[in-house]
Each structure stands twice: as C-alpha cells, then as structure tokens.
Amino acid sequence: MDMIASRRMLRRTKSLSVKLQFLLDVLLVEGILLLSVYFKGIHNFSLYYYPALAVPFLMWVIYASSGIYRRFSGHVDSSLSLIWAWSKVVGIMLVWAFVSKVSEDYSREVALTWFVAPALGQVMLHVLSNVVMNYYVMRNPRTVPSIIVGNGKLAEYLTNKINANPWIS
C-alpha cells in the first residue's frame, strides 16, 4: 500500500511540475509580448489580443506533441527542442498574420523581439527549473524498495546505476 501511495505521489508531483513549468512559460511569453508592445510605445494593445490569446493554446499543443515536458535529454538537446517548438509556434502565428492580411499592422520590432526573447527566456527558465528540481531531489532523498534478480556483472552494474541515480534512489 505504501508503494502505491508513493507512486501516486510521484505522478502528482510530476504532473504539478509540468503544469507549473507550462504556466511559467506562458507567463514569460505573454509578459515579453506586453513589455515589447509597451516599450515600443504602442498604446493600442487590442491588435495584439489575438496573438496573446492564441499563443498559449498553440504552445500547449505544439509543446505536448514535441515532448518538451516529457523528457530531459540534457540541457543542449532540451534547449534545441524547446527552440524548435517555439519556432513552430511563431511560424504558425506568422502564417496566420500573413493569411489574415494583418501582418503590416504589427510592429516588426515587436515581432522580432517576441521571437528571440521568449526563446532565450524559456531556455534559461527550463535550465533553472531543472537545477531546482535536481536540488530538491538531492535534498529530499526517498527510498524505493527494489529487487534485482540474478548475479554477475550485469546485476552489479544495474545495482550501481540504480543506487547512483538520484531520481530513483
């Protein structure tokens, strides 16, 4: 019963961290859009309402399909995946602006800032959140009972790898 409860708790924690990471990503992207428009001196923000509303939905769909929150394959690979997914979001928004013939109404400076700054900001945010999660896991170790059947070099190797992994042991 205790093992089932710990697995359930692990699922909740993972789900909570994914939701929190997505919320932070959306807040970062929306905040950068708002600041870009404000510092450009554009007082009519209503033109940017549709992109501000569409981007979180696009991020949810594209980031989920790209596996941004599912796996961690190192900082470089994760950063490249994140930048590629963000490029897809921006590409869809650019196509939408071109097709709806409102592309000349948008500021090029705001669009460029909104493409580059959130990409870099999200990469830094993901690296920071990974460091925080690693720190949390290292500071709060938990014991997971396990049995390795067999002996020999493979069993010894497996035991050493499991014991050395802070996410498992």
Side-chain angles (χ1 to χ4, degrees), residues 110-124:
V110 169
L112 186 62
T113 303
W114 200 38
F115 175 66
V116 174
L120 297 176
Q122 287 180 77
V123 166
M124 290 189 296

Side-chain angles (χ1 to χ4, degrees), residues 50-124:
Y50 292 118
L53 291 174
V55 163
F57 176 73
L58 286 174
M59 285 174 66
W60 177 60
V61 170
I62 292 173
Y63 284 22
S65 67
S66 298
I68 298 300
Y69 304 114
R70 268 194 319 244
R71 63 183 184 275
F72 179 75
S73 54
H75 292 299
V76 174
D77 288 339
S78 294
S79 299
L80 292 175
S81 296
L82 182 63
I83 290 171
W84 178 242
W86 175 245
S87 299
K88 290 178 193 176
V89 171
V90 171
I92 290 172
M93 293 304 295
L94 289 174
V95 168
W96 171 77
F98 179 75
V99 168
S100 64
K101 305 231 188 277
V102 295
S103 57
E104 64 265 357
D105 295 337
Y106 292 109
S107 165
R108 288 187 181 113
E109 185 179 333
V110 169
L112 186 62
T113 303
W114 200 38
F115 175 66
V116 174
L120 297 176
Q122 287 180 77
V123 166
M124 290 189 296

Side-chain angles (χ1 to χ4, degrees), residues 35 49 75 80 122 126 134 156:
L35 289 174
Y49 283 157
H75 292 299
L80 292 175
Q122 287 180 77
H126 280 245
N134 282 335
E156 187 178 326

